[in-house]
Amino acid sequence: MTKEFDLGRLLAERGAERYDLHARHLNHQLPRMLHTIGFDKVYERAEGAYFWDADGDDYLDMLAGFGVMGLGRHHPVVRKALHDVLDASLADLTRFDCQPLPGLLAEQLLTHSPHLDRVFFGNSGTEAVETALKFARYATGKPRVLYCTHAFHGLTTGSLSVNGESGFRDGFAPLLPDTAIPLGDLDALAKELKQGDVAGLIVEPIQGKGVHETPPGYLRAAQELLHRHKALLIADEVQTGLGRTGDFYAYQHEEGVEPDLLCVAKALSGGYVPVGATLGKDWIFKKVFSSMDRVLVHSASFGSNAQAMAAGLAVLSVMDDEKVVENARVTGELLRTRLAALVDRYELLSEVRGRGLMIGIEFGRPKSLKLRGRWTMLQAARKGLFAQMVVVPLLQKHRILTQVSGDHLEVIKLIPPLIIGEREVDRFVDAFTAVMDEAHSGGGLMWDFGRTLVKQAVANR
């Protein structure tokens, strides 16, 4: 007789060991880092845009699991869809049939980018990028893919080849024959294309690292240049897609842009099931899958699984019914405007930028002598420490979870669930204002923590 598995009992008995288990069996640096910055919290449950700890205190989530929780946590419609698909006992992943759910989800996805024709389903954003790289190279017969400096497209070997941050690439070479160009630099793009070996350009319409938007007109002009040289435009919308920027896809903010390949993932399953999708033009797919002998030339063992497909269909339904894209646009504009109004008030606050609910808050060198000395101390130890000094009190004092936008960047990125409203905007702006007030007072616990970060940074050199 099969012994019953009791998940609740297991968590009750062993849940308190979570940080020790991680330190022993997983990435040992993660619990160490979380303890150093005071992020070693124990969250007991979550719903919507909030977590709760064991004491019942709520925490506002302005990170959305790095953008995965577009609808917040445990949306009832997505949750029900997963229960329904499990209860249906479908003949899933037989691999020698055609189940209806992948076709239905592909059909729904393609309605939002009608110039594209077909979809390949994988399991993550980096897989979606890998698919696009392979398809672009095969369809064009050219080896090189261009990417932008400071880009982030994933961490598997292929997607790492188009990653613009050296910290991720160091020690993992040799990679694919790819070349970085500055974001927005059409002359650099034209120069590379003249060499005749470029399969395509992969670009985030808004870069996740630092929250930098492509300049107005750049995507359209890049597309024309690429097509002139028989190369492809690949839009990485893994983070910016599915309503994040106030349009369904971020490339749609610029008229006339029609990527040849489009990568989506993260929010597509509501955060429940790993999923990724590469959308593309018909001729590209037909070139890759050119015969019955090549039917499995690109595949994924768990790609198109019933749970992921059902979750994706439920997410798209909720986005339509609850006007999620419109909310991201309206609420994002409210949040960005209120934060931007603080720039003139705080000398350490340099710029607020972004679209929809993807917002970057950048800090910069202050003018006053009192603050300039402290800023210089932090920068000498490690760039990015001041942003970390802001993130920590937002969590510790105000119970708001945020993140520094990238290594050595003085930028905080806000990518909350797309369901937040005015109440959450008020809470974040009030908390951020209080943290800025403390930072500009020149004393207190915030700068004491800054000294701790400096010591840690120096010790790690």
Side-chain angles (χ1 to χ4, degrees):
M1 182 177 177
T2 303
K3 182 181 177 182
E4 181 181 346
F5 172 67
D6 190 336
L7 179 63
R9 179 178 175 183
L10 179 63
L11 289 173
E13 291 176 351
R14 303 290 304 278
E17 301 174 43
R18 61 188 71 192
Y19 283 90
D20 289 337
L21 287 166
H22 232 96
R24 287 201 306 272
H25 304 304
L26 299 164
N27 181 347
H28 63 289
Q29 294 290 5
L30 177 61
R32 181 185 175 203
M33 180 271 288
L34 294 173
H35 177 72
T36 298
I37 64 174
F39 268 42
D40 50 344
K41 303 290 183 183
V42 174
Y43 302 111
E44 294 289 340
R45 65 184 183 91
E47 185 176 342
Y50 292 90
F51 307 110
W52 284 267
D53 63 18
D55 296 325
D57 291 326
D58 71 341
Y59 293 75
L60 173 60
D61 177 19
M62 296 295 281
L63 181 56
F66 297 142
V68 167
M69 304 292 179
L71 300 181
R73 282 168 169 79
H74 305 300
H75 193 286
V77 172
V78 186
R79 187 180 179 122
K80 181 179 183 300
L82 285 167
H83 280 286
D84 289 347
V85 78
L86 288 171
D87 290 342
S89 299
L90 298 176
D92 194 24
L93 298 180
T94 66
R95 289 309 176 201
F96 288 97
D97 72 343
C98 291
Q99 288 288 313
L101 292 179
L104 292 169
L105 180 55
E107 182 180 70
Q108 288 298 307
L109 270 178
L110 290 167
T111 63
H112 296 283
S113 50
H115 70 285
L116 298 176
D117 308 293
R118 296 181 182 274
V119 182
F120 177 88
F121 287 112
N123 304 290
S124 65
T126 195
E127 281 192 30
V129 169
E130 294 276 1
T131 300
L133 297 179
K134 285 180 67 175
F135 282 25
R137 296 174 81 195
Y138 192 86
T140 63
K142 300 174 184 178
R144 201 154 55 101
V145 179
L146 306 177
Y147 62 100
C148 296
T149 50
H150 307 300
F152 185 91
H153 298 291
L155 296 174
T156 50
T157 302
S159 54
L160 188 62
S161 300
V162 290
N163 194 313
E165 294 294 332
S166 61
F168 289 113
R169 295 165 64 99
D170 290 348
F172 296 108
L175 300 171
L176 298 182
D178 304 303
T179 305
I181 58 174
L183 182 70
D185 191 334
L186 291 169
D187 290 337
L189 174 60
K191 181 181 177 182
E192 296 298 331
L193 287 169
K194 284 178 183 176
Q195 297 183 40
D197 64 344
V198 172
L201 167 70
I202 185 167
V203 62
E204 304 156 275
I206 302 178
Q207 288 189 333
K209 298 296 179 184
V211 193
H212 292 289
E213 191 171 357
T214 53
Y218 173 74
L219 290 177
R220 174 72 181 271
Q223 175 179 277
E224 291 173 357
L225 265 174
L226 288 158
H227 288 175
R228 202 177 306 155
H229 291 269
K230 296 186 174 4
L232 307 181
L233 176 63
I234 307 167
D236 181 348
E237 296 258 11
V238 168
Q239 189 164 118
T240 55
L242 278 75
R244 169 62 56 192
T245 67
D247 218 327
F248 197 87
Y249 294 121
Y251 78 80
Q252 293 169 338
H253 291 293
E254 189 174 321
E255 191 175 348
V257 178
E258 296 186 347
D260 302 288
L261 291 161
L262 172 65
C263 304
V264 296
K266 286 193 183 288
L268 182 55
S269 77
Y272 275 105
V273 188
V275 66
T278 306
L279 288 64
K281 292 184 175 178
D282 186 67
W283 73 269
I284 298 173
F285 274 66
K286 284 185 174 176
K287 197 152 188 179
V288 173
F289 301 109
S290 57
S291 68
M292 284 192 288
D293 288 342
R294 292 181 57 82
V295 69
L296 294 176
V297 73
H298 187 70
S299 62
S301 294
F302 284 91
S304 300
N305 71 80
Q307 289 86 2
M309 300 299 98
L313 285 163
V315 165
L316 295 183
S317 175
V318 169
M319 289 182 68
D320 185 44
D321 290 346
E322 298 185 7
K323 296 181 171 31
V324 170
V325 179
E326 180 181 343
N327 183 69
R329 182 168 58 250
V330 173
T331 305
E333 180 63 18
L334 175 65
L335 178 57
R336 189 189 60 78
T337 301
R338 290 191 59 188
L339 290 171
L342 301 176
V343 171
D344 291 337
R345 178 172 167 181
Y346 298 113
E347 57 181 301
L348 283 161
L349 184 56
S350 175
E351 184 184 10
V352 177
R353 56 179 176 266
R355 275 186 183 269
L357 283 171
M358 184 173 183
I359 295 172
I361 305 171
E362 183 163 3
F363 306 101
R365 188 172 185 264
K367 294 183 175 66
S368 66
L369 191 61
K370 177 180 70 173
L371 291 176
R372 202 185 309 158
R374 295 171 183 268
W375 174 267
T376 302
M377 173 193 69
L378 291 172
Q379 297 296 297
R382 192 177 194 275
K383 190 174 180 183
L385 291 188
F386 182 79
Q388 193 65 61
M389 282 172 54
V390 174
V391 162
V392 169
L394 281 173
L395 182 67
Q396 300 284 32
K397 289 188 175 183
H398 304 280
R399 303 196 309 277
I400 299 175
L401 183 63
T402 57
Q403 69 168 129
V404 177
S405 179
D407 199 29
H408 294 87
L409 290 180
E410 294 290 4
V411 181
I412 291 176
K413 179 168 65 177
L414 306 180
I415 46 170
L418 306 183
I419 58 168
I420 68 165
E422 192 170 350
R423 179 174 73 129
E424 287 75 26
V425 170
D426 288 343
R427 177 166 172 175
F428 181 81
V429 173
D430 288 348
F432 183 75
T433 301
V435 172
M436 285 289 95
D437 282 340
E438 182 182 353
H440 286 75
S441 72
L445 295 175
M446 187 172 173
W447 287 102
D448 289 341
F449 177 68
R451 282 187 280 273
T452 300
L453 287 179
V454 167
K455 291 177 184 175
Q456 186 76 25
V458 171
N460 285 334
R461 283 181 173 175

